[in-house]
């Protein structure tokens, strides 16, 4: 059983994004209204061979229940075995195992993983089927419109995923070739929705509450997944939930955005130690986007090396905006 009833609920999900959706950020997004979140994508092979760094990505917190673990890999035996282990050891709140068959990164596709599996449906089917049989939890699949413009096969891929045992699919309306450029094709999400009986989550170009409403209306999807739209803007989940319920939404002030960046930084350092402030630099740039004098401050942020420095810088900046 999935974590929601598609007949009565329309969830808003935070996408798993490597190097972005760390535990601290996921907690903030859940507090802002995200209904579901995933770990950053986890290498099944890394887990199999006992990588401590890979295992560390499995950490979750009480604030994100329910949540999912996203695995990637190209070997059916390894992926299914790791899914079986995770589902048997399932910590409280773990609701599903998601299979990443959409990541466009070259270092992933070069190993035949991620969106490279959209060019090899028989192998993808073996992975999904083996994992669905091995896991005590529902198995879901995330994939793209296709690998490139000459190979648009999301509809066939979705049918295969359902037939292989997937309980839900998430469709990103871009090809691997597009990466994150151009506009997401919502028509392909609508086509997938028409041919499968399992829930379909729509993903791509959701940057506002109005976008979420438009994606639902255009595709008939059973939920929306937010990815880049949440970078530096976890408030987006509150905006979407307000739009879905027909409530007024008041955007955050610059001070509130800076406070969110500070909370994120403090929690990230708490989770990962002092050097995590370096990982925080890109998040700070996103939080400050569009503010007065932000470009100058971003250059300074890229030179900071401690949480104390970052706090001083952001607090002074917040005061300057009030002047």
């Amino acid at each position: 059983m999935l974590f929601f009833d598609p007949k009565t609920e329309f969830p808003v999900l935070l996408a798993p994004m490597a190097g972005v959706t760390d535990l601290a950020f996921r907690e903030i997004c859940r507090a802002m209204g995200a209904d579901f979140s995933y770990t950053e994508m986890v290498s099944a092979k890394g887990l199999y061979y006992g990588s401590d760094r890979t295992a560390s990505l499995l950490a979750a917190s009480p604030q994100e229940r329910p949540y999912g673990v996203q695995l990637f890999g190209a070997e059916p035996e390894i992926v299914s075995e790791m899914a079986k282990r995770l589902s048997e050891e399932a910590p409280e709140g773990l609701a599903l195992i998601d299979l990443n068959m959409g990541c466009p990164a070259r270092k992933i596709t070069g190993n035949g993983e991620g969106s490279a599996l959209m060019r090899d449906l028989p192998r993808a089917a073996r992975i999904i089927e083996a994992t669905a049989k091995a896991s005590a939890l529902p198995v879901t699949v995330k994939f793209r419109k296709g690998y490139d413009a000459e190979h648009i096969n999301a509809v066939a891929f979705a049918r295969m995923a359902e037939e292989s045992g997937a309980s839900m699919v998430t469709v990103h309306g871009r090809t691997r070739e597009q990466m994150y450029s151009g506009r997401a094709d919502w028509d392909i999400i609508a086509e997938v929705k028409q041919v499968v009986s399992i829930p379909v989550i729509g993903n791509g170009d959701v940057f506002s509450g109005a976008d979420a409403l438009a994606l639902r209306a255009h595709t008939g999807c059973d939920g929306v997944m937010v990815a880049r739209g949440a970078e530096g803007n976890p408030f987006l989940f509150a905006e979407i939930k307000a739009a879905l319920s027909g409530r007024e939404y008041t955007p955050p002030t610059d001070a509130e955005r800076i406070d969110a960046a500070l909370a994120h930084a403090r929690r990230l350092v708490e989770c990962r130690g002092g050097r995590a402030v370096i990982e925080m630099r890109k998040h700070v740039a996103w939080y400050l986007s569009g503010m007065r004098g932000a470009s100058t401050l971003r250059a300074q942020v890229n030179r900071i090396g401690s949480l104390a420095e970052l706090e001083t810088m952001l607090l002074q900046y917040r005061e300057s905006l009030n002047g």
Side-chain angles (χ1 to χ4, degrees), residues 53-98:
R53 184 179 183 282
T54 299
S56 71
L57 295 174
L58 296 173
S61 73
Q63 287 93 322
E64 49 174 348
R65 294 175 182 168
Y67 76 100
V69 168
Q70 188 183 70
L71 293 177
F72 73 95
E75 297 87 355
E77 300 81 7
I78 291 179
V79 176
S80 60
E81 184 175 338
M82 293 305 96
K84 181 175 187 293
R85 180 197 298 177
L86 289 169
S87 67
E88 289 176 347
E89 298 173 353
E92 187 175 355
L94 181 59
L96 58 82
I97 305 294
D98 188 64

Side-chain angles (χ1 to χ4, degrees), residues 137-175:
L137 294 170
V139 171
T140 63
V141 187
K142 186 173 189 288
F143 54 93
R144 286 181 166 241
K145 176 180 177 179
Y147 192 80
D148 55 33
E150 287 70 45
H151 301 88
I152 306 299
N153 62 343
V155 171
F157 201 91
R159 283 200 187 102
M160 174 276 293
E162 181 176 27
E163 292 167 359
S164 299
S167 297
M168 181 178 81
V169 294
T170 299
V171 186
H172 181 173
R174 290 182 175 84
T175 64

Side-chain angles (χ1 to χ4, degrees), residues 19 61 82-83 126 138 150 164 172 178 225-226 288 295 300 321:
S61 73
M82 293 305 96
R126 291 196 299 273
E150 287 70 45
S164 299
H172 181 173
Q178 284 180 279
M225 179 175 282
V226 176
L288 300 181
S295 58
Q300 297 173 10
L321 293 177

Side-chain angles (χ1 to χ4, degrees), residues 12-15 17 20-38 63-64 226-227 229-238 241 260 264 283 287:
V12 182
L13 300 82
L14 171 63
M17 293 182 282
V20 176
T21 52
D22 50 64
L23 178 59
F25 186 57
R26 298 197 309 267
E27 288 178 350
I28 292 171
C29 290
R30 294 301 292 262
M32 293 289 182
D35 297 306
F36 197 82
S37 51
Y38 300 78
Q63 287 93 322
E64 49 174 348
V226 176
E231 292 176 347
N233 185 25
F235 302 93
L236 176 57
F237 292 98
K241 298 306 284 275
H264 186 170
H283 287 285
Y287 278 110

